[in-house]
DNA sequence: GACTCCGATGTAATCGATTGCCCAACCAGG
DNA sequence: CCTGGTTGGGCAATCGATTACATCGGAGTC
């Protein structure tokens, strides 16, 4: 099955390949008669064009690469959906990759995106420091925007929420509910979100006079399973604080599950909060109080920042921190 | 910022571009000394290669395209994760696209994948008939495997679960629990899964003497929101059957939420079942009885079928229906 | 010692579309 | 009828890597 090339179309339409190219792309004026003729020939042959050849010549692909730590996490898929939607309106495509929380895989994917000549990259880096070299190298080759998480020491735009402000909202809310002690469950301190959220947790806990007992900062990974284990550990040790603050909703869902399994009442015995406001956080038992991330805005801003760089103008790089909001549900007493 | 080409490397290593290509790809033997030299030159220059040019010449990209109706649905993201993992082990990459349940967008994405010269396509088509032309055209151009859903009239492999067997499991289980009437909530009858599941529902309901009152087959879309609306409708009309059978877990989660909101007890007043066994189905209140789909196997088989076609051998096309299993949880009485 | 054969390397064609450059035709104004 | 300007369209170079074919030197064989 020989693929149809522009040459075949040209032959059938009795014109040169140059004319075919111009007629189909509309880059330069072509007489209506010829355009019609070319169009017909292309249709009859089922000409699809060769994006690879075109990309090589034009050295652009109209494609943006996006690299996220996990596509099993609804927060990221939500972000991806919005980014894709936004790009589509600009006539661009999205090339999505997952680094599966592995810096090495991430580096490989980045190289691959660069080799594939995507026009730009939107990335949420896996690791605060291990990801740096690969991200830096990629950023030197082409426009790159970081979302949600970021690595230090790379000169690029970033867009996400203000983690400190988010933890302020959470802790203030908990303090108002009478919380005097709290635990924090998160992933290993391997990325900016985790660090900033923990820092915010500590800072605002101290400010509001909420105790953080030793051993009450538990670091694992962003997953339901880890939340379950962490909470099970606290419960088994009989050291449950007034509240468990989680660095994302998956962890919080795991915590809720562990509580249910152990007969610990939420919010009766302990309050629980999440972070991200994924769709499932409203469906848990009890529904989860969480920090809402404005995904649509993050996505739109990421694309905007990227296009700004694409349209050259080497402006100074921005760090945009959006204001988060708190969604209060039953897990903190409604 | 001029990108480094193979020519630059060749010049610096004092060899021809042919030798550089061979040294780096290892396609043909190169003396160790020269290989070393080339490698060093490449490293020093930070040579990354141009995948586009390479793809054009070799007319293969080592990339497989995957097109799913939605990346917000955990069932599909689970599938994608497994496919990506499997491909990665074979040294291939995944190019993921979402058709957002829109046949037109789907056709566009398919064209784009073909133009990008992916080596093969794994697709779960949006619509049973509207998707046909585009899928057919793509299947003529390159290897294509359908997963989960399929369109009629296209000559290609398919891999998924046996929907009839699944509904057999569900309905038999419900009948054993004493269910005498049931409703079915699904998406519009626009794809094979929906059709087969509904058909299975009716068939096994009849067989087991479970009544399906008029107006108790509700068709909307695969989303939490639709499940909520559908259930709210049934409740408001005071026509709640013994059980509500849902065509996927998202719908079922919505149904559970509507029941909770209306004070309808599950499984006390009504039993609810889902389909897919997404991670969140275990976390709902109550946890959901659902049909487990063997995602890893589906993914592995899809990749296997695709590679079979890639390695030419134009065998007859397969339709592989895996056996589903039932996960019984509290929503049907534990 | 002459002849093969083979491995390593270079030369140049090639993949398919785009585009700079140039030419021919046509138009309007003088 | 001539000239300057405009426009449609062809020729061929080009993007960067791969690879068929040619070449060359040296090892092995009788």
């Amino acid at each position: 099955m020989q693929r149809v090339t522009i040459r075949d179309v040209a032959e059938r339409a009795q014109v040169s390949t140059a004319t075919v190219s111009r007629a189909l792309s509309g880059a330069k004026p072509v007489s209506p008669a010829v355009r019609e003729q070319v169009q017909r020939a292309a249709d009859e042959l089922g000409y699809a064009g060769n994006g690879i050849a075109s990309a090589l010549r034009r050295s652009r692909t109209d494609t943006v690469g996006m690299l996220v730590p996990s596509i099993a996490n609804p927060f990221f898929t939500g972000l991806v959906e919005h980014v894709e939607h936004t790009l589509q309106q600009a006539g661009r495509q999205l090339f999505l990759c997952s680094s599966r929380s592995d810096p090495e895989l991430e580096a490989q994917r980045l190289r691959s995106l660069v080799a594939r000549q995507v026009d730009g990259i939107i990335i949420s880096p896996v690791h605060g420091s291990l990801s740096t070299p690969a991200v830096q190298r990629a950023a030197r080759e082409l426009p790159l925007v970081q979302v949600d998480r970021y690595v230090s020491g790379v000169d690029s735009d970033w867009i996400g929420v203000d983690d400190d402000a988010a933890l302020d909202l959470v802790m203030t809310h908990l303090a108002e509910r009478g919380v005097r002690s709290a635990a924090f469950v998160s992933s290993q301190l391997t990325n900016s979100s985790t660090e900033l959220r923990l820092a915010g947790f500590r800072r605002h806990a101290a400010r509001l006079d909420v105790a953080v007992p030793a051993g009450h900062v538990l670091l694992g990974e962003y997953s339901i399973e880890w939340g379950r284990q962490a909470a099970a550990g606290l419960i088994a040790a009989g050291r449950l604080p007034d509240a468990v603050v989680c660095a994302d909703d998956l962890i919080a869902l795991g915590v809720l599950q562990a509580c249910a399994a152990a007969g610990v009442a939420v919010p009766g015995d302990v309050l629980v909060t999440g972070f991200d406001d994924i769709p499932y956080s409203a469906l848990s038992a009890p529904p989860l109080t969480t920090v809402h991330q404005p995904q649509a805005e993050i996505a739109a801003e990421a694309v905007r920042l990227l296009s700004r760089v694409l349209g050259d103008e080497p402006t100074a790089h921005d760090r945009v921190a959006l204001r988060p909001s708190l969604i209060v549900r039953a897990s903190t007493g409604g």
Side-chain angles (χ1 to χ4, degrees), chain A residues 258-282:
Chain A
C259 289
V264 172
V266 179
D269 300 328
V270 63
L271 307 192
V272 177
T273 66
F275 201 114
D276 285 348
D277 192 25
I278 64 175
Y280 309 97
S281 67

Side-chain angles (χ1 to χ4, degrees), chain A residues 5 19-20 72 92 104 125 128 166 172 181 194 196 204 211 238 257 265 268 283 289 296 306 311 313 322 332:
Chain A
T5 73
T19 302
V20 174
R92 286 186 214 281
E104 206 160 319
T172 302
S181 68
T194 305
L196 294 174
H204 295 290
Q257 199 180 20
L283 303 177
T289 291
L306 201 59
E313 48 168 323
L322 298 179
T332 56

Side-chain angles (χ1 to χ4, degrees), chain A residues 18-136:
Chain A
T19 302
V20 174
S21 173
R22 296 196 265 250
L24 294 179
S25 74
K28 281 224 177 173
V30 170
S31 73
V34 174
R35 173 188 309 278
E36 166 82 14
Q37 204 173 353
V38 169
Q39 189 62 58
R40 186 143 29 86
D43 289 346
E44 285 168 6
L45 293 173
Y47 174 65
N50 184 323
I52 297 287
S54 165
L56 175 59
R57 179 62 230 255
R58 299 192 307 145
S59 62
R60 54 176 297 184
T61 50
D62 292 322
T63 298
V64 170
M66 184 162 182
L67 189 47
V68 297
S70 160
I71 52 173
N73 189 327
F75 169 65
F76 289 117
T77 59
L79 213 47
V80 169
E81 285 236 310
H82 283 108
V83 167
E84 214 223 1
H85 191 71
T86 311
L87 283 176
Q88 190 212 327
Q89 294 173 330
R92 286 186 214 281
Q93 301 246 327
L94 184 69
F95 190 140
L96 177 65
C97 298
S98 160
S99 49
R100 285 221 237 85
S101 298
D102 175 353
E104 206 160 319
L105 208 55
E106 180 179 59
Q108 186 185 316
R109 293 284 187 270
L110 272 174
R111 269 198 302 278
S112 161
L113 285 175
V114 171
R116 264 207 183 56
Q117 312 260 84
V118 295
D119 296 340
I121 292 179
I122 297 176
I123 184 177
S124 189
V126 161
H127 196 284
S129 55
L130 294 181
S131 294
T132 304
V135 172
Q136 191 144 42

Side-chain angles (χ1 to χ4, degrees), chain A residues 80-279:
Chain A
V80 169
E81 285 236 310
H82 283 108
V83 167
E84 214 223 1
H85 191 71
T86 311
L87 283 176
Q88 190 212 327
Q89 294 173 330
R92 286 186 214 281
Q93 301 246 327
L94 184 69
F95 190 140
L96 177 65
C97 298
S98 160
S99 49
R100 285 221 237 85
S101 298
D102 175 353
E104 206 160 319
L105 208 55
E106 180 179 59
Q108 186 185 316
R109 293 284 187 270
L110 272 174
R111 269 198 302 278
S112 161
L113 285 175
V114 171
R116 264 207 183 56
Q117 312 260 84
V118 295
D119 296 340
I121 292 179
I122 297 176
I123 184 177
S124 189
V126 161
H127 196 284
S129 55
L130 294 181
S131 294
T132 304
V135 172
Q136 191 144 42
R137 202 172 325 121
R140 266 204 302 272
E141 297 279 344
L142 40 75
L144 182 147
V145 171
Q146 301 186 74
V147 284
D148 188 51
R149 312 179 184 176
Y150 58 85
V151 300
S152 51
V154 171
D155 195 32
S156 89
D157 292 313
W158 171 79
I159 166 84
V161 296
D162 184 335
D163 285 306
D164 185 77
L167 267 297
D168 186 354
L169 290 173
V170 170
M171 297 310 290
T172 302
H173 170 68
L174 290 177
E176 282 170 3
R177 288 282 194 266
V179 166
R180 309 299 305 152
S181 68
F184 187 74
V185 186
S186 179
S187 78
Q188 300 286 350
L189 283 181
T190 49
N191 61 67
S192 58
S193 300
T194 305
E195 285 177 33
L196 294 174
R197 289 174 197 174
L198 174 55
F201 170 74
R202 286 196 190 282
R203 196 161 86 81
H204 295 290
R207 179 172 64 78
L208 296 160
D209 234 0
V210 171
V212 181
H216 275 52
V217 170
L218 302 167
L219 306 179
E221 54 172 43
Y222 285 121
S223 74
I224 294 174
E225 185 49 31
W226 162 239
R228 177 160 35 206
Q229 284 177 25
L234 284 175
I235 295 169
R239 306 180 53 201
L240 218 47
D242 293 347
V244 177
V245 177
C246 304
D248 91 339
D249 283 347
L250 293 181
I251 293 174
L253 290 176
V255 169
L256 289 181
Q257 199 180 20
C259 289
V264 172
V266 179
D269 300 328
V270 63
L271 307 192
V272 177
T273 66
F275 201 114
D276 285 348
D277 192 25
I278 64 175

